[in-house]
Amino acid sequence: MQLRYTFRIEPGPGQRTALARAFGCARVVYNDALRARENARMHGLPFPKTGDLSKALITDAKQTPEREWLGEVSAVVLQQSLRDLDTAYRNFFDGLKGKRPKMGAPRFKSKRDSQQAVRFTANARWSITPGRKLRLPKIGNVKVRWSRNLPSTPSSVTVVKDASGRYFASFVVETDDTEALPGTAGEVGIDLGLTHFAVLSDGRRIASPRFFRRAEKKLRKAQQDLSRKAKGSNNRRKAVVKVAQAHARVAAARRDFHHKLSTMLIRENQAVHVEDLAVKGLTRTRLAKSVHDAGWSAFVSMLEYKAARYGRVFTRVDRFFPSSQLCSACGFKDGPKSLAVREWTCQECGTVHDRDVNAARNIRTEGHKVAAGQTETQNARGAQVGPAPVPAQRATRTPVRKKQEPTRSSQPAS
């Protein structure tokens, strides 16, 4: 499997200028190619091929006075920019065909975007020096903050600058199954929530750290300071960086929490089962800020790739599975309950259940069946409930039932 390792880098003043030049050239080529294809579409002409665009917008453009500065950066960076545009169009058309979640058409890039990036492949002749520095063509040797060793030789490196002004080097490496962990008998079901980030089937409760809520006061003050600065001034640019740095600290703390918790669960259990939540639907409710603060999707994605990496079993239980309605002791379905009901007694066997722990146990039981292939491939709504080779699509929303209009007669509608 392919993994991405990201490290902080510290370019010098001259290297920052060279990187800014590379970011700008890659952005110009991307926008020129997008404009050429949009013009062809508007005039009903054939869709320009990547090879033709490469010759016209890179090779020939370097010979013109308007674009001769494209020769100051590595040609691989410009070619990869065209590949990025191809990927954007492919994802857009695949979304229209239903092969993946729908996404918008490619858009023009701006130098004011929150993130700038360029990619160097193997033919760019980048390397890691004996002194553990990253040598990039036409940029130089850049200092890297190594936090771990790379498991194999990287196939490419992407240099990224975020909105807070930090630089990162992201390596793509190939790994094998030598990292599989020793087998264990543990099996856990996870019920994700807001009051508690996760409730496990063994009764453990993981408190919700609420990183954004805790930093909300500082974030609000930084945003207020930004709003008072004159547009186009140096002070406003500095305030923008401060806001971005505040948000970056929150995101880094949340990501660290997700990594530590997901690693702990993968190491302790041979099988991990989690409910496939409709996160997009929840982000349209009044709980949107708390849902974004929790970051369930990122956490579940970490569980999924770590399970594949370390030889564990990972399953997603269908979101329509009634985990809160079933008795985990006898299997009796007790019907839907409001969120205010945190504890209930089974009418069949008399077992007193904690709502979240009972749901986690039901998720573990159902996930075990899914992993063993004892459930149907699809349920009545057509949703995938069995194990799939790719992550489940998150574009499906929970259907909203329309209110039934009263009839003209005096009797209520049935």
Side-chain angles (χ1 to χ4, degrees):
M1 63 183 301
Q2 287 188 336
L3 294 176
R4 186 175 292 277
Y5 285 75
T6 303
F7 304 92
R8 183 85 175 267
I9 61 176
E10 298 176 348
Q15 293 171 342
R16 292 195 189 98
T17 302
L19 284 172
R21 187 182 301 115
F23 294 147
C25 291
R27 183 175 61 248
V28 167
V29 171
Y30 183 95
N31 289 341
D32 287 348
L34 178 57
R35 188 177 296 107
R37 287 181 168 173
E38 286 299 305
N39 290 338
R41 181 186 63 83
M42 292 174 60
H43 293 86
L45 301 176
F47 201 69
K49 297 181 179 179
T50 303
D52 298 335
L53 291 176
S54 176
K55 185 178 185 303
L57 302 180
I58 299 178
T59 305
D60 295 343
K62 290 180 181 179
Q63 311 303 322
T64 63
E66 295 82 6
R67 292 285 190 270
E68 61 181 358
W69 36 264
L70 291 177
E72 299 177 3
V73 302
S74 172
V76 174
V77 168
L78 307 181
Q79 295 290 346
Q80 293 302 311
S81 184
L82 294 179
R83 288 179 177 268
D84 291 340
L85 180 61
D86 286 342
T87 302
Y89 269 110
R90 189 181 310 114
N91 293 339
F92 170 63
F93 290 130
D94 286 347
L96 295 180
K97 296 175 183 177
K99 296 181 180 180
R100 57 165 296 144
K102 286 187 178 181
M103 60 186 308
R107 296 183 298 178
F108 291 99
K109 292 185 178 182
S110 169
K111 63 179 180 181
R112 296 178 179 83
D113 289 342
S114 60
Q115 181 173 291
Q116 305 286 340
V118 291
R119 185 168 62 257
F120 299 87
T121 54
N123 56 351
R125 297 182 181 180
W126 65 273
S127 62
I128 299 175
T129 66
R132 303 287 288 168
K133 288 188 176 182
L134 178 61
R135 178 174 295 168
L136 299 173
K138 297 191 178 182
I139 294 175
N141 297 342
V142 184
K143 182 180 178 181
V144 183
R145 293 187 187 177
W146 299 103
S147 58
R148 67 187 71 184
N149 294 325
L150 295 173
S152 61
T153 303
S155 60
S156 68
V157 60
T158 303
V159 180
V160 181
K161 179 186 178 183
D162 65 5
S164 61
R166 301 178 300 175
Y167 292 83
F168 297 90
S170 181
F171 300 90
V172 175
V173 298
E174 294 280 349
T175 61
D176 50 25
D177 57 356
T178 56
E179 296 181 281
L181 295 172
T184 178
E187 189 171 359
V188 67
I190 306 173
D191 180 58
L192 299 174
L194 295 177
T195 304
H196 292 89
F197 178 79
V199 178
L200 309 184
S201 55
D202 57 10
R204 284 183 292 173
R205 299 174 182 271
I206 310 300
S208 181
R210 300 183 179 181
F211 295 107
F212 179 82
R213 294 291 188 180
R214 284 158 48 188
E216 198 168 10
K217 186 175 180 181
K218 292 183 179 179
L219 294 172
R220 186 184 300 112
K221 185 179 184 305
Q223 190 66 45
Q224 288 174 346
D225 292 341
L226 170 62
S227 66
R228 296 188 181 101
K229 301 297 187 292
K231 292 185 177 181
S233 65
N234 288 332
N235 285 336
R236 185 177 180 86
R237 282 191 286 270
K238 294 177 183 178
V240 169
V241 173
K242 287 184 178 180
V243 172
Q245 289 174 343
H247 281 282
R249 283 191 291 269
V250 173
R254 183 187 298 114
R255 185 166 53 250
D256 181 69
F257 168 75
H258 287 164
H259 271 297
K260 289 179 178 178
L261 179 57
S262 59
T263 300
M264 181 194 73
L265 294 174
I266 292 296
R267 288 185 181 277
E268 292 180 353
N269 301 277
Q270 184 65 31
V272 178
H273 314 294
V274 64
E275 187 177 9
D276 184 22
L277 297 173
V279 178
K280 277 193 174 181
L282 292 172
T283 55
R284 298 187 181 96
T285 67
R286 59 185 179 86
L287 300 174
K289 188 180 292 186
S290 297
V291 171
H292 284 300
D293 193 10
W296 292 328
S297 296
F299 173 70
V300 173
S301 297
M302 288 182 185
L303 284 175
E304 187 170 17
Y305 89 79
K306 289 181 181 180
R309 180 181 180 185
Y310 296 114
R312 301 307 201 202
V313 176
F314 174 86
T315 56
R316 295 174 184 260
V317 174
D318 179 48
R319 65 186 58 171
F320 298 108
F321 174 69
S323 58
S324 298
Q325 302 179 27
L326 297 176
C327 173
S328 58
C330 66
F332 178 73
K333 189 172 181 180
D334 209 15
K337 303 167 186 64
S338 65
L339 291 176
V341 178
R342 309 313 304 172
E343 189 176 280
W344 56 281
T345 303
C346 177
Q347 300 177 6
E348 185 71 14
C349 64
T351 305
V352 179
H353 292 293
D354 178 275
R355 180 193 184 100
D356 298 327
V357 175
N358 177 72
R361 290 173 179 170
N362 287 326
I363 291 172
R364 179 190 59 188
T365 303
E366 181 69 11
H368 181 81
K369 294 179 181 179
V370 171
Q374 297 176 4
T375 60
E376 297 294 335
T377 304
Q378 291 183 340
N379 63 5
R381 296 175 183 264
Q384 180 79 25
V385 296
V390 295
Q393 295 184 357
R394 298 182 176 90
T396 306
R397 295 184 298 174
T398 303
V400 179
R401 297 181 179 178
K402 297 182 179 180
K403 294 183 178 179
Q404 200 167 18
E405 297 181 359
T407 59
R408 293 184 179 180
S409 62
S410 58
Q411 297 294 330
S414 57

